[in-house]
Amino acid sequence: MTVTPDDLIAAADLCRETLAPAVDADWTAPAADIGQTCRETIDHVVSCQTFYASHLASRAPGPLPRLRKHDPDAPVEQVLDLVPAGAAVLAAVARGSGPDVRAFHPAGMADPEGFLAMGCDEIIVHTGDIAAGLGVAFAPPDDLCARIVTRLFPWAPSDADPWPTLRWANGRAPLGDRARLDPDWYWQCAPLAEWDGQVNRRINPAAWSP
């Protein structure tokens, strides 16, 4: 697979390692310019992992209610610990799912690799958002960023560095002379063999839209 369960675990560990030194910072600060606080964003990261895992585990043909309800009073340290915990659940479900398994995501009927790639994307990109809001340095591995781009954004340019390209594909920043994308960007979470050659667009606004 282009993106593996081990990649998801590594991304989650990197998130916690990057943000743990800033647990005493002001987590009500905006996470970049995505319209959420840093605290809301890390809660979202955790919820994504359990949302993906529940759909993949049950082979859900349609949307399921979310398993996790945010506790706004939980210490940030505890929420950070839930990032690798949630990733471990999704990774385990993906390992136990055959490549032909499909489950619902609003972007399409995803296979296990698609869910893993989306899980990595949520963790890496939102860690960057939070790090920007807290003033923490963050530089994810180029190899992982490149594989996320390849799996989820087959239309993305291949002539730029992977981390800036991943940020561009997620609508975070311009890339060279390419303008910042509108909030209707989306993933190719179904297998790449089924990609129709068109740029995927979301119908409903993203939750993080400015």
Side-chain angles (χ1 to χ4, degrees), residues 46-79:
V46 174
S47 292
C48 285
Q49 308 307 308
T50 56
F51 179 81
Y52 297 162
S54 64
H55 282 73
L56 181 58
S58 63
R59 282 57 168 161
L64 299 174
R66 291 190 179 272
L67 290 177
R68 177 177 178 267
K69 184 176 182 180
H70 299 170
D71 178 2
D73 297 322
V76 171
E77 299 97 314
Q78 291 183 6
V79 182

Side-chain angles (χ1 to χ4, degrees), residues 74-120:
V76 171
E77 299 97 314
Q78 291 183 6
V79 182
L80 285 177
D81 285 342
L82 288 175
V83 176
V89 174
L90 176 54
V93 172
R95 287 190 180 102
S97 302
D100 295 331
V101 169
R102 299 297 187 86
F104 172 83
H105 184 276
M109 294 300 290
D111 63 352
E113 185 186 16
F115 279 110
L116 290 169
M118 289 189 292
C120 285

Side-chain angles (χ1 to χ4, degrees), residues 138-154:
F138 180 60
D142 280 346
D143 176 66
L144 177 56
C145 291
R147 285 183 285 117
I148 296 170
V149 169
T150 297
R151 179 58 184 83
L152 295 179
F153 306 101

